[in-house]
Amino acid sequence: MSYLDNIFFAIVLAIGFGFFAKNVKKLIRNIKLGQDVDRKDRQNERFKNMAMIALGQSKMVRRPIAGILHILVYVGFVIINIEMIEIIIDGLFGTHRILSFMGGFYDFLIGSFEILALLVIVSVVIFFIRRNIIHLKRFNHIDLKGWAKNDANLIILFETILMVFFLTMNAADLHLQTLSYSHFTQVGSFPVSKFIAPIFNGWSPESVYMIERACWWLHIVGILVFMNYLYYSKHLHILLAFPNTYFADLNAKGKLTNLESVTNEVKLMMDPNADPYAMPAEGTDATPAKFGASDVMDLNWVQLLNAYTCTECGRCTSSCPANLTGKKLSPRKIMMDTRDRLEEVSKNMDTNGGKFVDDGKSLLNDYITKEELWACTTCNACVEECPVSISPLSIIMDMRRYLVMEQSAAPMELNNMMTNIENNGAPWQYNQMDRANWVDEAN
């Protein structure tokens, strides 16, 4: 490889990582649009969650077929890309398999990479069959039409092509090693590509070298393209699963968060010694500007991180009792809608110099309907099923809170119940003085 090639490679590398850094910066900015929430507590539990769920894939294997296939793709793709270290060094300095000095360990690594590459290809082919031939229900739901469906298939194609380039590159390299062509010395172990290498028998060394170089370049450029495509894809969870599981809500799933201002007001009403006209203590949460959430900026930053982390696997929707009984609610769609609205807000800010200009839209109504929100039974099945600790329920509850406390737009049955509680101290429509009458009737 000439110095010109080295310089060109350095430029390609700089462009690839430059765009990636730009996307990461935008991602962080968008997540920070959310309201502040403290998730710095119980750090040992958080690290354990991250290790077990994000790294260990513990919730993925609850559905064994999909779980095992996903682990193969995840582990294979990540470990194979360790070879990026060698590719970058070779590309920058014009060397050939610079890490081969590790001897037997290097042979083990290359051999492992090849076996994993083959397993990745097999796994993604099965994924393609499950999505497009068998038509599993959760992959053919109405909320996975258009881009969401195409994105998944594009990722499958991308991963297959990258692995094919990797194995073909190694096969051509092995063929050139056996010929002792140029700087190709015999290093590495190739348990898979050795079966591909015979196709080059009878080819001129120069032609095989061209194939090797083409696959080398296509492999590295493909990885850089894939890395920058992540921001626009559901596969952003490859990176965000780790912080998302770390910052997940550690409270019991049945425990709902309360507004501090409302809690303090209730305590004040129940305290006979409290001064009802006293000003809130300094540093406490006085009446907020808005109760609940109607748009993405009203949600907290962890909920926005959830939206970007969603894998669109559909486990939440396939276990949602409301969805299973024909209701419009799909927890997966709640997360996808939140991300889509957040991206719309992001583009608005990009167009207007980093500031959001009111576009007359909101997450509520324009993306998520009231019908979807009130269909939720708050059973937490979606939260329990999610393999990366996402909580669609928290977004649903915050939007419900807005409907009730800001717009008085609860369903009639719920409004009647709350009116009865306010007037009668019970959800039933009878006077408080009559509440104990049942005792006399029982006697």
Side-chain angles (χ1 to χ4, degrees), residues 78-94:
V78 170
I79 291 179
I80 289 167
N81 284 326
I82 293 175
E83 196 191 16
M84 279 279 287
I85 299 170
E86 183 176 59
I87 289 177
I88 290 173
I89 296 172
D90 286 346
L92 292 174
F93 299 101

Side-chain angles (χ1 to χ4, degrees), residues 359-379:
D359 57 1
K361 296 182 179 180
S362 67
L363 181 61
L364 179 63
N365 296 324
D366 290 300
Y367 285 85
I368 300 172
T369 65
K370 297 175 185 177
E371 181 184 352
E372 293 172 80
L373 295 175
W374 291 114
C376 178
T377 66
T378 69
C379 69

Side-chain angles (χ1 to χ4, degrees), residues 305-333:
L305 174 63
N306 281 182
Y308 275 121
T309 309
C310 180
T311 70
E312 299 177 15
C313 65
R315 294 185 180 207
C316 54
T317 296
S318 68
S319 63
C320 173
N323 187 272
L324 291 173
T325 54
K327 304 295 191 299
K328 193 174 180 181
L329 174 65
S330 166
R332 173 171 57 189
K333 179 180 176 293

Side-chain angles (χ1 to χ4, degrees), residues 262-274 276:
V262 176
T263 302
N264 291 338
E265 186 174 346
V266 172
K267 288 180 179 178
L268 186 67
M269 293 169 61
M270 298 179 68
D271 184 357
N273 300 316

